[in-house]
Amino acid sequence: MKTFKISTILIITVILVGAVMGYKADAKEMAPEFPSGLTWLNSQPLKLSDLHGKVVLLDFWTYCCINCMHIIPDLKRLETKYKDELVVIGVHSAKFENEKLTRNIKEAILRYDIRHPVINDNNFKVWNEYNAQAWPTLVLIDPTGYIVSKSSGEGVYDAFDSQIASVIKEFDSRGQLSRVPIKLKLEKETTPVSILSYPGKIVADEKTGRLFFTDSDHNRVVISSLDGQIQEVIGSGDAGPKDGDYSSAQFYRPQGLFFDSDKNVIYVADTDNHAIRKIDLAPKTVKTLAGTGKQAGFLERGGFGRTAALNSPWDLVMLGDKLYIAMAGAHQIWTLDIKTLETLPFAGSGRENISDGPLDGAALAQPSGITTDGTKLYIADSEVSGVREISLGPNGKVSTIIGQGLFEFGDIDGKYPKARLQHPIGIAYRDGYLYVADTYNHKIKKVNPRTKEVTTLIGKGAPGMDDGPALQSSLNEPNGLAFADGKIYITDTNNHSIRIFDAVSGNVSTLNLKGLEMLTQGDAFHGEEKEFPTVEIAPGTSKLSLELILPKGTEFTKDAPFNLEVKSDNPKVVNIKSSAISKPMEKLEIPIVASTGKALVTVDLNIYYCSGNQGQCYFKDARLKIPVSVIDKGGATLAATYEIKH
């Protein structure tokens, strides 16, 4: 293990080289060239020499790190403001073994909508070349390849805005600035739209037979029956803090939920809005209880209601009139009194580490899951790969059940201190045991809090989506857990699915969602437009023949709606007689009547398709534009083929 510091509590940017307010013209440190042979995402491999004339900003990050996530909005603001002059390059230097895999970095890029080139620096080659010491670290490079400044920590926008503007001004005056855009190949452009997108936490209510879960990257909360029938979709899908009714309210990557059955409300940890929201199920409204909408600074002390600044709340649980909040960004547990709306730190000093002791002196590390047995709190303490226990009352304290340190992780069953987890995010209590989403090991583990013993319950340890016997099944970065009717419901985040473990059969299956049209409704068209070459057909042609080709290994979703609408901008030339097709097929035939002339035929399609086991499901919204020329020497059929590609 390399020895380097993780600076996830550093908020104020420290400039190590260069000047904040202006370009340092006598900077002499040449930026090292990127090593060859590394894997790049969102771009073809680049060299610094390819970027001469551009201002380059390197972002050393790892996707487990909440502080690395916190600076993404700053980077996006800089990229937007200096879109012609600045190139941001992410250097992903992984902390955890699971983060070294390119496929997992791709998932993080998609989840956080990163649109700049990213290097998989899994052996720390670039990290060492630039002598990076912490996550996140930023390095600014001028258009001739010299380092201007280095910085570690959060709160980077203002300092780098000033520096970038100064560098641009200097090199523009020299005639050494390029505003020619670089070509990117974004991962999102070749990734299908899934029905769910990185689902976060989940709650089950046995009494009413319902599931509540956050469809995090779709910025909404979904309610379904235990067998998967969609009942409600809460949130417009747009990212934002807006309160209102179900269709107009907004969330921003929400995570944790708590359902208060007595009051018929759902409390939501609205993570990227840095807020706690309340969903009232009777009037069907969403209201903000706490949070300013902006991330709190370091060692914030709380406040009341919407004047209290929060820091990436990730999960929550209720005891009495208090919500206990896993405040991942602050490395603390907070409370929210739902009567007074007072929000306060409860446990954790704010220092990121693993140390036990009194509530205000103990150290936590990005707590991301929280549960209770009614008398104690239990925490999935992600960055120390730990499970922590918090006793309540006047002499409350924090103690460790599993976990040894920031860089002590693995996949080892057994008793403390030898047992190891790898970045667990979810935790649930049931009948004297803790059930932990051992996220980066792709497993669900059972923990005895009395003996401190860990055993694997679900998952073979490799990312995948195999149903079947529990220890032969596979998950992909599971997050949330909930119990109902002898089953465990699991948000299988990177599989965009809800999985079910049946304790009686010992098998894992995938929840088959029904009523999918509720998850894809909306008036605006956001899908793929495909323009075809002109098709020449003869007058009198009687049909439009449309062939649909799905990706290999997928099939049309059973019982899902299929929407097909065919229009002609000139019905006198191409008259659509009927398009009443309710079931998807590989070959579709729509009756038409053609007369001499020209027309544009538009086919709008809404297609639902899944992997062969009806597990991972996708939605394709497509608009096909087919120019038609009806001439005497034309063909006999108006034919078109549309292939959906992953």
Side-chain angles (χ1 to χ4, degrees):
M1 171 59 66
K2 295 180 179 291
T3 56
F4 43 77
K5 184 181 71 171
I6 178 166
S7 68
T8 52
I9 61 171
L10 180 60
I11 303 300
I12 301 173
T13 299
V14 179
I15 300 297
L16 303 177
V17 179
V20 175
M21 299 307 295
Y23 173 69
K24 188 175 181 179
D26 61 347
K28 296 298 183 182
E29 184 181 355
M30 177 66 75
E33 184 57 88
F34 301 131
S36 61
L38 300 180
T39 300
W40 288 67
L41 299 102
N42 276 347
S43 169
Q44 298 297 324
L46 296 171
K47 295 181 178 179
L48 274 178
S49 56
D50 299 330
L51 301 173
H52 276 193
K54 293 289 188 185
V55 182
V56 177
L57 183 60
L58 303 184
D59 170 31
F60 288 86
W61 66 298
T62 183
Y63 75 79
C64 70
C65 165
I66 191 73
N67 306 82
C68 298
M69 302 305 103
H70 285 162
I71 72 166
I72 289 176
D74 285 349
L75 296 177
K76 289 183 177 181
R77 288 178 66 193
L78 293 170
E79 288 176 289
T80 300
K81 185 171 182 178
Y82 302 108
K83 61 184 179 65
D84 296 324
E85 301 90 0
L86 175 67
V87 177
V88 176
I89 296 178
V91 184
H92 190 275
S93 307
K95 172 185 174 181
F96 291 99
E97 289 297 316
N98 183 65
E99 294 178 296
K100 293 182 178 182
L101 302 178
T102 297
R103 60 179 284 179
N104 294 339
I105 300 170
K106 176 182 174 180
E107 294 291 351
I109 287 170
L110 295 170
R111 185 185 308 191
Y112 295 105
D113 194 25
I114 294 171
R115 303 189 184 192
H116 52 248
V118 174
I119 307 170
N120 183 358
D121 184 36
N122 55 6
N123 289 316
F124 290 90
K125 291 182 178 180
V126 186
W127 175 282
N128 289 330
E129 288 282 359
Y130 282 84
N131 194 29
Q133 299 294 318
W135 295 288
T137 288
L138 299 178
V139 179
L140 186 65
I141 302 170
D142 76 19
T144 58
Y146 284 91
I147 292 176
V148 178
S149 66
K150 294 181 182 179
S151 164
S152 296
E154 297 185 26
V156 303
Y157 179 81
D158 290 336
F160 279 97
D161 180 33
S162 174
Q163 281 203 309
I164 292 167
S166 185
V167 172
I168 289 172
K169 182 178 179 181
E170 174 70 23
F171 283 87
D172 207 11
S173 69
R174 298 183 190 180
Q176 294 179 302
L177 191 70
S178 170
R179 290 186 168 87
V180 177
I182 66 168
K183 293 182 179 180
L184 299 179
K185 187 178 180 182
L186 299 181
E187 301 300 327
K188 67 179 298 179
E189 294 174 353
T190 57
T191 301
V193 178
S194 54
I195 298 296
L196 303 179
S197 185
Y198 301 102
K201 303 294 187 181
I202 189 167
V203 171
D205 182 46
E206 292 180 316
K207 185 176 180 180
T208 60
R210 290 182 295 179
L211 295 173
F212 311 89
F213 57 90
T214 47
D215 189 11
S216 295
D217 254 42
H218 284 149
N219 306 305
R220 61 191 181 185
V221 176
V222 177
I223 303 175
S224 78
S225 63
L226 293 177
D227 64 358
Q229 180 66 48
I230 304 299
Q231 297 176 353
E232 298 282 2
V233 177
I234 306 169
S236 67
D238 296 326
K242 184 179 177 182
D243 290 343
D245 60 26
Y246 284 4
S247 61
S248 62
Q250 299 172 328
F251 298 92
Y252 193 11
R253 296 198 184 102
Q255 284 288 331
L257 299 170
F258 182 84
F259 174 55
D260 185 338
S261 58
D262 293 336
K263 294 183 174 63
N264 201 30
V265 299
I266 306 169
Y267 298 101
V268 184
D270 195 3
T271 304
D272 281 13
N273 272 327
H274 307 287
I276 303 299
R277 316 288 292 280
K278 181 177 81 170
I279 300 171
D280 196 322
L281 296 175
K284 297 187 176 183
T285 57
V286 178
K287 180 181 180 181
T288 301
L289 295 183
T292 64
K294 296 182 179 180
Q295 181 193 348
F298 183 50
L299 293 182
E300 192 76 30
R301 301 311 301 168
F304 287 87
R306 300 184 70 161
T307 66
L310 310 182
N311 194 339
S312 294
W314 208 275
D315 200 9
L316 37 76
V317 71
M318 179 174 277
L319 281 173
D321 290 328
K322 285 186 178 180
L323 286 171
Y324 291 83
I325 305 162
M327 200 73 74
H331 312 296
Q332 293 174 314
I333 305 302
W334 283 42
T335 60
L336 169 61
D337 188 312
I338 60 169
K339 288 186 175 180
T340 66
L341 298 186
E342 185 177 20
T343 309
L344 294 169
F346 173 73
S349 65
R351 181 172 60 93
E352 182 185 20
N353 213 316
I354 184 168
S355 63
D356 295 342
L359 296 180
D360 60 354
L364 303 173
Q366 201 171 307
S368 302
I370 187 168
T371 190
T372 183
D373 62 1
T375 61
K376 296 178 180 178
L377 301 176
Y378 298 98
I379 312 299
D381 212 14
S382 300
E383 281 295 305
V384 290
S385 298
V387 176
R388 315 292 293 282
E389 177 183 291
I390 302 178
S391 59
L392 305 177
N395 298 314
K397 64 178 182 179
V398 178
S399 55
T400 297
I401 296 173
I402 300 295
Q404 289 290 295
L406 285 164
F407 296 95
E408 295 292 335
F409 55 86
D411 184 6
I412 303 174
D413 287 357
K415 289 187 176 182
Y416 176 88
K418 293 184 177 180
R420 292 288 185 273
L421 306 173
Q422 187 181 184
H423 201 267
I425 291 180
I427 189 168
Y429 175 85
R430 188 76 164 188
D431 297 333
Y433 289 90
L434 299 171
Y435 295 80
V436 178
D438 193 4
T439 304
Y440 286 3
N441 283 327
H442 314 285
K443 291 181 175 182
I444 305 299
K445 293 191 175 179
K446 186 176 180 180
V447 178
N448 186 326
R450 300 170 301 280
T451 64
K452 299 186 177 183
E453 185 172 8
V454 178
T455 56
T456 297
L457 180 66
I458 302 168
K460 56 188 175 184
M465 197 175 177
D466 300 309
D467 288 342
L471 295 179
Q472 298 173 32
S473 67
S474 55
L475 308 170
N476 194 344
E477 295 198 6
N479 184 337
L481 304 162
F483 291 84
D485 295 341
K487 299 179 176 67
I488 303 177
Y489 291 83
I490 304 160
T491 48
D492 197 7
T493 299
N494 280 6
N495 279 328
H496 313 291
S497 300
I498 308 298
R499 311 293 292 282
I500 307 168
F501 168 70
D502 188 322
V504 176
S505 69
N507 287 329
V508 172
S509 61
T510 302
L511 182 64
N512 182 19
L513 295 174
K514 299 175 282 292
L516 298 181
E517 65 275 10
M518 294 185 67
L519 297 173
T520 54
Q521 60 191 3
D523 296 328
F525 176 79
H526 300 292
E528 177 186 13
E529 290 196 11
K530 179 176 172 108
E531 296 189 4
F532 288 76
T534 299
V535 180
E536 295 180 343
I537 60 174
T541 300
S542 60
K543 66 181 178 180
L544 162 61
S545 179
L546 178 62
E547 182 178 8
L548 303 177
I549 302 176
L550 296 179
K552 185 177 180 180
T554 66
E555 60 188 44
F556 293 112
T557 305
K558 295 176 182 177
D559 303 321
F562 173 71
N563 299 315
L564 171 72
E565 185 177 2
V566 185
K567 296 179 181 178
S568 170
D569 71 343
N570 192 345
K572 292 182 179 179
V573 175
V574 177
N575 186 12
I576 311 298
K577 302 302 292 182
S578 172
S579 59
I581 299 174
S582 59
K583 291 187 178 182
M585 295 175 284
E586 292 182 359
K587 292 187 178 180
L588 305 170
E589 293 187 350
I590 296 97
I592 65 171
V593 174
S595 302
T596 303
K598 293 184 178 181
L600 178 66
V601 174
T602 302
V603 181
D604 284 349
L605 289 163
N606 302 128
I607 305 169
Y608 299 83
Y609 61 101
C610 292
S611 57
N613 63 359
Q614 296 294 311
Q616 273 185 304
C617 292
Y618 307 99
F619 172 72
K620 189 69 176 183
D621 197 5
R623 176 167 292 162
L624 315 181
K625 295 182 176 180
I626 310 169
V628 179
S629 179
V630 184
I631 59 175
D632 290 336
K633 295 182 180 180
T637 304
L638 174 54
T641 299
Y642 177 57
E643 182 177 2
I644 300 173
K645 296 181 179 180
H646 281 189

